Amino acid sequence: MLHWLSTNYSLVYHISFPKGYHLTNASKQNIKSHYISKKELTDEYIDVVESLDSNPLMVTNLKKTVVDMLRYTKTSPNVVEEIVDNYLSREDKNIERLKEYGRHSILEE
């Protein structure tokens, strides 16, 4: 949503944290936590974008977001189709780099 890849607004916020981070009351805050390696929190994978309220947010970059959404087994097919279509129509797409991210994420599984 924050990369304008989808018009779907989740009722639950999917947020990534470094492994070992302890989040209390996640479900009460509508947060689905995902734990990732510290490598995935480096500048290579992180961008700062504005929230819908114009607040700066650290998010995974565009390519990592696309790969993560494709890997997430609970993403509905219509959302996947919208994400792929929107990514392919962007001027800032980088298919080769996207493929590298995808290959890298498969090796980590």
Side-chain angles (χ1 to χ4, degrees):
M1 176 184 75
L2 295 171
H3 285 296
W4 300 103
L5 290 171
S6 176
T7 55
N8 182 36
Y9 292 89
S10 179
L11 299 175
V12 175
Y13 300 100
H14 291 258
I15 302 176
S16 298
F17 299 97
K19 289 180 181 171
Y21 184 87
H22 180 67
L23 179 67
T24 58
N25 299 321
S27 61
K28 289 182 181 179
Q29 300 175 59
N30 293 328
I31 294 174
K32 168 65 175 149
S33 54
H34 301 272
Y35 295 95
I36 58 177
S37 69
K38 289 186 180 187
K39 181 183 181 209
E40 292 180 278
L41 295 171
T42 63
D43 289 343
E44 178 182 353
Y45 298 111
I46 301 296
D47 284 337
V48 176
V49 299
E50 286 189 1
S51 71
L52 299 177
D53 296 328
S54 298
N55 295 311
L57 296 173
M58 291 177 62
V59 299
T60 54
N61 68 29
L62 179 62
K63 294 169 290 297
K64 180 150 178 39
T65 299
V66 171
V67 169
D68 288 348
M69 290 301 296
L70 293 174
R71 289 180 63 206
Y72 187 60
T73 59
K74 295 182 181 175
T75 305
S76 67
N78 62 324
V79 172
V80 169
E81 182 178 358
E82 182 182 25
I83 288 169
V84 170
D85 287 347
N86 286 332
Y87 181 77
L88 292 175
S89 68
R90 293 175 66 120
E91 288 185 25
D92 60 344
K93 70 181 175 281
N94 184 333
I95 301 299
E96 288 306 312
R97 192 72 171 137
L98 183 70
K99 288 176 6 182
E100 286 177 32
Y101 275 37
R103 280 192 291 272
H104 180 71
S105 69
I106 289 171
L107 296 175
E108 290 183 349
E109 289 181 354

